[in-house]
Amino acid sequence: MGCLYFLRKDTMEEKINKEHQVCTSDGAIDSHGHPAVRKKTGDWVAAILILVNQGLATLAFFGVGVNLVLFLTRVMGQDNAEAANSVSKWTGTVYLFSLLGAFLSDSYWGRYMTCAIFQVIFVIGLVSLSLSSYIFLLKPSGCGNKELPCGSHSSYQTILFYVSIYLIALGNGGYQPNIATFGADQFDEGDPREQHSKIVFFSYFYLALNIGSLFSNTILNYFEDDGLWTLGFWASAGSAALALILFLCGTRRYRYFKPNGNPLPRFCQVFVAATRKWKAKVLQDDKLYEVDEFSTNEGRKMLHTEGFRFLDKAAFITSKNFKQMEESKCSPWYLSTVTQVEEVKCILRLLPIWLCTILYSVVFAQMASLFVEQGDAMDTRISRFHIPPASMSTFDILSVAVVIFIYRRVLDPLVARTMKSKGLTELQRMGIGLVLAIMAMVSAGLVEHFRLKNAIEDCNECEGSSSLSIFWQVPQYVLVGASEVFMYVGQLEFFNAQTPDGLKSFGSALCMTSISLGNYVSSLLVAIVMKISATDEMPGWIPGNLNKGHLDMFYFLLAALTAADLVIYVLMARWYKYIKFQGNNDNGINKEDPEVGL
């Protein structure tokens, strides 16, 4: 199928017919491998299917994840610190698998196939968890609530449980970075209207993620907290299966990009070629090597940027290279293109920014672990109604929804008018996210301080509890939710825009792996703090009985570490140089200014 572009005067009917045959300018293809027709593929029709898929898949994931810390303590018999570490490691593994999914997507399978395969694995893991919980883990019958803990489990039953939850981690982790990028693929940057829609898509994507978790954090959470774990797990499995079916329904409407092959050899070629010419002196005016024509699959050519001048040697044409080119024997291991060199520079520049986001993810990790344990030790009653501690993350979700609306409709247009720009840059928004994260930790620390002052000490059946209402946790959840909008939505946009065409899924995976490493760092930090803070009088800052610890000191420690991270982040953001594509150098702001990020 060809794409038609009309130059002569046509009748209205002919114009409409030809308009429906105009293809996208970004090289996307349809489900048959033909160039994607703009009016028949992609756009919001496909994007909405992907957003609904994301919402349902998130509902399924958080149906397990949001209460996992309580399942580990009440059903699997772990103490608070051990359960918090287990959740951090599991959540970290979820996002670590995003690197695997991104690699397979960018290199071999493509985003659509990768999303489909990992969603199947996700469904299998949820079904396995539902069956094992019903048959083995929830014994005696009715156990798993706050009053009746479950009995011990055999090694086989424990192994089956961990295999199930790590299949869920593999399925969700491999799917997440690709579905975000696949959704962005449905919009053509060459069309002004679709380019704007692509930017807005990331906000709606994160909103869909939070709305999907709303049901998990309310209805499912309530049933699971009451001991109806099997019901909650089966609901999650059903939601994941429905998400997969809806995803497959859009197959003929989607736009696709073919994978570019393994990027590792391309990266290695640059370092090898530069090392072989390490004595060469590259002057600023020297012409560097670039091919004249790129195929559609290779993506856009990238323009040369300053910095990492050693790598420029890889694209410097020596007399030996010139002779090899004349004989058509020039190997990429001796001479790389400017685009290859810029791909490597791009990743090297992204890494410091990425590293600075890890500590933010340590703060975010507390919402699924220590925030829940803190809430469990507070007064969770409204009259006779009991509030599941994990359901307090509903305030985080509502905060995300409200802040996205305020940012897109009020704050961003206001900043654009005031600063005569296109609004806050992604780097500026990420910096705001770090500031809000510091405020969230200070708020959590203050709440814990007053929770300890109102601790119930003369009640044997309410050990580790406090008379302070759980609703005092609302500010910390709201602040974390607001920080997510600035940090994670900003990250999704930033890494998607600042990675080369052949590494878009890898860009989204960077967001996920920062969450992954944040959870691992959180687990390590808890272990270190427990070891250092333990004395003869106190079993550490985060003991099983929180009334005998100092969780507030741990929160204040996180606030201090995040403040130090913010200082480093500002320096790295000012140093960062934006990627430049041929024919699209600015993307709306002056990327040549190294300080434009802040």
Side-chain angles (χ1 to χ4, degrees), residues 1-208:
M1 179 177 65
C3 291
L4 303 178
Y5 299 88
F6 50 90
L7 299 174
R8 63 181 177 82
K9 269 194 170 184
D10 291 319
T11 66
M12 182 62 68
E13 185 179 352
E14 287 175 326
K15 284 184 177 182
I16 293 172
N17 289 336
K18 289 185 175 183
E19 184 180 291
H20 276 270
Q21 296 300 315
V22 174
C23 291
T24 60
S25 61
D26 56 2
I29 59 175
D30 61 19
S31 58
H32 300 290
H34 302 137
V37 177
R38 191 187 302 279
K39 293 292 184 180
K40 295 181 179 179
T41 60
D43 213 339
W44 281 110
V45 176
I48 287 172
L49 267 178
I50 291 169
L51 290 173
V52 174
N53 167 268
Q54 168 68 5
L56 290 170
T58 304
L59 187 158
F61 176 71
F62 280 100
V64 175
V66 76
N67 259 335
L68 186 58
V69 67
L70 297 183
F71 189 86
L72 289 169
T73 54
R74 297 179 184 178
V75 179
M76 304 306 294
Q78 296 184 4
D79 61 37
N80 282 338
E82 185 184 5
N85 278 342
S86 295
V87 171
S88 293
K89 290 174 184 176
W90 178 78
T91 308
T93 305
V94 171
Y95 296 112
L96 197 60
F97 280 134
S98 66
L99 283 176
L100 174 64
F103 175 77
L104 292 172
S105 170
D106 287 335
S107 303
Y108 303 110
W109 291 353
R111 287 185 266 280
Y112 171 82
M113 186 61 69
T114 307
C115 286
I117 290 173
F118 279 103
Q119 282 188 83
V120 171
I121 296 172
F122 185 46
V123 172
I124 291 172
L126 285 165
V127 171
S128 174
L129 178 63
S130 303
L131 287 172
S132 61
S133 298
Y134 176 72
I135 298 171
F136 303 120
L137 302 178
L138 294 170
K139 302 294 180 184
S141 179
C143 74
N145 56 20
K146 197 169 185 178
E147 286 76 30
L148 180 62
C150 295
S152 60
H153 306 101
S154 67
S155 298
Y156 167 76
Q157 293 167 351
T158 304
I159 289 171
L160 183 59
F161 165 73
Y162 279 107
V163 167
S164 299
I165 64 170
Y166 278 93
L167 275 176
I168 294 170
L170 172 61
N172 189 263
Y175 151 87
Q176 276 294 336
N178 295 295
I179 197 65
T181 311
F182 189 57
D185 287 346
Q186 307 311 309
F187 302 99
D188 179 12
E189 286 188 358
D191 179 82
R193 182 188 65 80
E194 290 196 21
Q195 184 183 37
H196 176 72
S197 296
K198 184 173 185 175
I199 295 171
V200 174
F201 170 80
F202 287 109
S203 292
Y204 288 151
F205 180 84
Y206 200 75
L207 182 61

Side-chain angles (χ1 to χ4, degrees), residues 54 78 106-107 126 153 181 186 209 215-216 238 262 286 391 449 471 542 550:
Q54 168 68 5
Q78 296 184 4
D106 287 335
S107 303
L126 285 165
H153 306 101
T181 311
Q186 307 311 309
L209 186 152
F215 184 82
S216 302
N262 190 344
D286 284 337
S391 69
H449 175 74
F471 284 102
I542 317 170
H550 263 295

Side-chain angles (χ1 to χ4, degrees), residues 432-475:
I432 293 171
L434 283 171
V435 172
L436 291 171
I438 295 169
M439 294 169 63
M441 285 298 97
V442 171
S443 174
L446 290 173
V447 169
E448 179 62 16
H449 175 74
F450 286 105
R451 192 199 68 80
L452 288 171
K453 282 195 169 186
N454 290 274
I456 300 173
E457 298 177 355
D458 57 349
C459 174
N460 294 328
E461 296 180 359
C462 39
E463 182 179 314
S465 294
S466 171
S467 61
L468 192 69
S469 171
I470 194 172
F471 284 102
W472 283 102
Q473 282 192 311
V474 170

